Amino acid sequence: MTNPHYTGDLVLCRETTLSVTNKVRTEVAKDAQVIIPNTHAPVVSHEDFEAVQRHMESRKKKRPKYKKHLFTNVAYCADCGQSL
């Protein structure tokens, strides 16, 4: 339930690429998106959609950012050659 099209609105320009040759997509800010309301019949109401979005946001786990160790891939095993 992350697609806002279910509410009956047409949402354009949700993502963009940095250049034509770069295929990495970045999310566009909500205020810069083009939203055309009531373009088709809604599957769910706006209130239900927003309630689901709040519920999904509250269920996200807050995990600490993984830190790469200072000596990662510096020491190697003499027998097999794997990094320690």
Side-chain angles (χ1 to χ4, degrees):
M1 263 302 282
T2 58
N3 193 344
H5 292 241
Y6 292 134
T7 61
D9 298 341
L10 182 62
V11 182
L12 304 172
C13 303
R14 289 173 54 191
E15 293 181 340
T16 186
T17 56
L18 297 176
S19 68
V20 177
T21 58
N22 188 354
K23 301 297 182 193
V24 177
R25 300 184 70 76
T26 57
E27 193 171 331
V28 174
K30 197 103 165 145
D31 59 340
Q33 296 175 0
V34 178
I35 301 173
I36 304 171
N38 301 323
T39 57
H40 54 278
V43 177
V44 296
S45 67
H46 285 281
E47 295 81 23
D48 291 341
F49 183 78
E50 292 300 324
V52 169
Q53 297 305 309
R54 286 191 302 274
H55 182 68
M56 287 173 46
E57 189 65 31
S58 69
R59 291 182 54 118
K60 283 186 178 177
K61 295 190 184 220
K62 310 282 190 263
R63 295 188 179 174
K65 189 173 180 179
Y66 175 74
K67 291 184 179 179
K68 191 173 180 180
H69 193 270
L70 177 64
F71 298 111
T72 300
N73 293 332
V74 173
Y76 294 93
C77 177
D79 297 328
C80 66
Q82 291 285 334
S83 62
L84 303 175

